[in-house]
Amino acid sequence: MAGRSALEHCPVAWRDGTSGDGGECALIALTGHATAVLFRPAPPAPIAPRPLLPALAFPTVPEGARPRLRRLLARKNGASLERSLIDLVTARGFAMHPADWMPSPRDDWAPDLYAPWLDWVRAESKAAPASDLTLENYDQWSWAERRVELAALRQRDPAAARAIIAAKAATEAAERRVKLIEILENNLSADDAEFLATLAKDRSERVQALASAYLARLGRHSDSDALAKELAEMLEVGKVGLVTRRTQLVIKPLKNATQNTRRRELFKLVSFSNLAQALGLSEQQLLESAPAGVEDGIAEFVQMIGATGSDEARRLLLDRMVHDTDFPFAHARWLGPRLTPTERRAVLSPVLVRDPNLFETTVVLMGSTLGEAPISALEKSPGYAALESSIASVLEADDKTRTTIEPMLESTLNRVALLADARAAAELISRVTSRGLSPADPRLELLHLNAALTQETKP
């Protein structure tokens, strides 16, 4: 039929509507309508009505800030900002607009604020009981809301939360069992040891590993004494300090790659308390100063403390790392997940002073506690001086050199924008534009968003 009219082939019932000079156009219109009606794709499953999306406890992001937020979420260059943006928005007392962002069913990292939305996207929404979470009404709560309530209960009454988790964890799938056991990390105490010991034979290896790490933090020695002695032989213990002599762990260089690999394995298999015992020292003695020696070994030791060290041990280690200016501070990031919001706020200023990595280590250590750094703390950081230098370099560089500098400048601006409080963000915009950047520069998008997320802009 190519090259000839299709009018003579159209259905008889259409002939009156396709007569005249515009017949071909009328036929195209009728064909399009018919296709849309007659060939609609059938749904793969019966369509079931869904409840309305639940309202959240916080107001949505101010309307004027939403376009910036959407642009930041849509960026494809560099590392994703999604989690950090959600944390910053939540920290400022706002919730995302559902047209801009919705959690996926697997986004258990989302702040507790979004528990109703997680239940909605998983089709697990339930009407919460009128009373607080108890063992008796546990199954009446949806999964996401249940986790939030259990975490709050663990804060108020650790024993009651542990009793519910001990009774109900076995009924959950492995992935959700891990999430329940993780709640015990808050207010972890010797009272939890008996239940944690029962998880040694859990059918999930992740649950076993988590329970083992928590027991190690409580000082419960495992059956790895021989491994701890082997690791101790790969380390040295010395003394530092002219006036006050302090113990220092030294991760000494080894002879070959095979020994280095073995030591790396042992750091993952041995708990901190077992290592201290094998060295004949208390945990406090072993952390009288920051560790020294081979940098890879230092990183592995810090990771050991992050996984199996007691709360006192990881607090001591972070304090030593902050005050020892010779310590490679980037390794401190391994302690970030263990810090509470209160601890993060307490160390923010000294961490900024010690962070040589363009605010990267500070962002990791702060976790979800974002948007609180005043300009007085930021400008004392080495990252601030590097930021000013990068701006000057970008403005003066030729096209070839600029392409290598610009990604670093953009990353630095994004990190400082995540850390700054609203006043600091506004001040930083003023300072960097006075140095030559345009106020409309896309690299300042996150700083502009930060400055706009204030209580005064709530709708």
Side-chain angles (χ1 to χ4, degrees), residues 20 29 74 113 120 144 198 221-222 301 339 350 365 372 394 396 399 403:
L113 169 70
W120 188 86
T198 66
H221 297 294
S222 61
F301 175 75
L339 300 181
L365 284 172
E372 299 189 12
V394 165
E396 296 169 2
D399 291 343
T403 57

Side-chain angles (χ1 to χ4, degrees), residues 355-390:
D355 184 0
N357 305 111
L358 304 176
F359 302 106
E360 184 175 356
T361 301
T362 308
V363 169
V364 174
L365 284 172
M366 291 303 104
S368 60
T369 310
L370 299 175
E372 299 189 12
I375 191 66
S376 59
L378 292 170
E379 62 189 5
K380 294 176 184 177
S381 171
Y384 181 80
L387 174 62
E388 291 183 323
S389 176
S390 296

Side-chain angles (χ1 to χ4, degrees), residues 314-323 329 332-333 335-355 361-367 369 372-374 377-378 381 419:
R314 53 98 178 160
R315 278 194 291 266
L316 278 172
L317 179 59
L318 181 59
D319 182 69
R320 304 295 184 254
M321 291 189 292
V322 166
H323 291 96
F329 194 69
R333 68 185 65 190
L335 300 182
R338 293 281 303 274
L339 300 181
T340 65
T342 300
E343 290 170 332
R344 288 170 179 151
R345 294 184 180 100
V347 301
L348 174 58
S349 293
V351 163
L352 280 167
V353 172
R354 284 280 287 116
D355 184 0
T361 301
T362 308
V363 169
V364 174
L365 284 172
M366 291 303 104
T369 310
E372 299 189 12
L378 292 170
S381 171
L419 295 170

Side-chain angles (χ1 to χ4, degrees), residues 30-41:
L30 287 168
T31 304
H33 286 300
T35 302
V37 173
L38 298 176
F39 299 101
R40 288 179 179 174

